[in-house]
């Protein structure tokens, strides 16, 4: 799902290119519950973010100042998307939260706040080895370009209790 149809088309194209099956795309605002969406075993939340991890690819981001009001709105959007995903995730399911920023408020602090609101979730380590230099912590895994020679990004795998 994405709120913008042109990005949904990009998702469809990527799904087809990679040969994935059982993927349905939908133009949908992920901050709001949608009763048409079925419960899922796995959910990926690739959250909108400040993009501070991809400055090498998009250097103009550094010149777009993110004022406090816009940053607070971004944090609220991330939080709402996570909370909406919770309702769609089956018991025992996994939710992956990811961003392309290295900003702690959008990453580790967002996960810490999520766990306070949803104690039925725990952070689990990814099942694949992390790239060299990538840090795994209490609230997820962070790639910092100076350490990994990759873009900066964050991911956290969250497991919902079985009930």
């Amino acid at each position: 799902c994405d709120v913008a149809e042109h990005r949904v088309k990009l998702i469809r194209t990527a799904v087809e290119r990679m040969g994935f099956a059982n993927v349905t795309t939908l133009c949908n605002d992920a901050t709001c519950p949608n009763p048409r969406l079925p419960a899922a075993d796995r959910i990926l939340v690739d959250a909108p973010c400040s993009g501070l991890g991809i400055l090498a690819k998009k250097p103009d981001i550094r010149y777009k100042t993110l004022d406090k009001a816009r940053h607070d709105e971004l944090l609220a959007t991330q939080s709402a998307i996570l909370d909406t995903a919770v309702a769609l995730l089956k018991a025992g399911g996994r939710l992956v939260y990811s961003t392309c920023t290295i900003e702690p408020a959008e990453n580790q602090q967002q996960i810490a706040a999520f766990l306070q609101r949803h104690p039925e979730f725990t952070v689990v380590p990814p099942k694949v080895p992390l790239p060299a230099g990538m840090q795994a912590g209490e609230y997820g895994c962070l790639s910092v370009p100076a350490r990994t020679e990759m873009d900066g990004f964050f991911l956290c795998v969250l497991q919902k209790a079985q009930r």
Side-chain angles (χ1 to χ4, degrees), residues 61-121:
I61 290 173
R62 77 181 73 221
Y63 303 111
K64 295 178 182 177
T65 57
L66 195 60
D67 62 29
K68 181 168 176 12
R70 175 67 184 117
H71 191 248
D72 289 349
E73 179 183 333
L74 187 59
L75 294 173
T77 298
Q78 293 166 346
S79 180
I81 291 171
L82 280 167
D83 290 344
T84 300
V86 165
L88 294 171
L89 191 64
K90 293 178 182 177
R94 289 199 172 182
L95 169 65
V96 175
Y97 175 79
S98 70
T99 67
C100 60
T101 188
I102 57 174
E103 172 63 37
E106 298 178 62
N107 296 330
Q108 298 92 335
Q109 293 170 19
Q110 189 69 264
I111 295 301
F114 173 83
L115 292 169
Q116 286 291 313
R117 294 189 311 275
H118 300 282
E120 71 275 22
F121 280 84

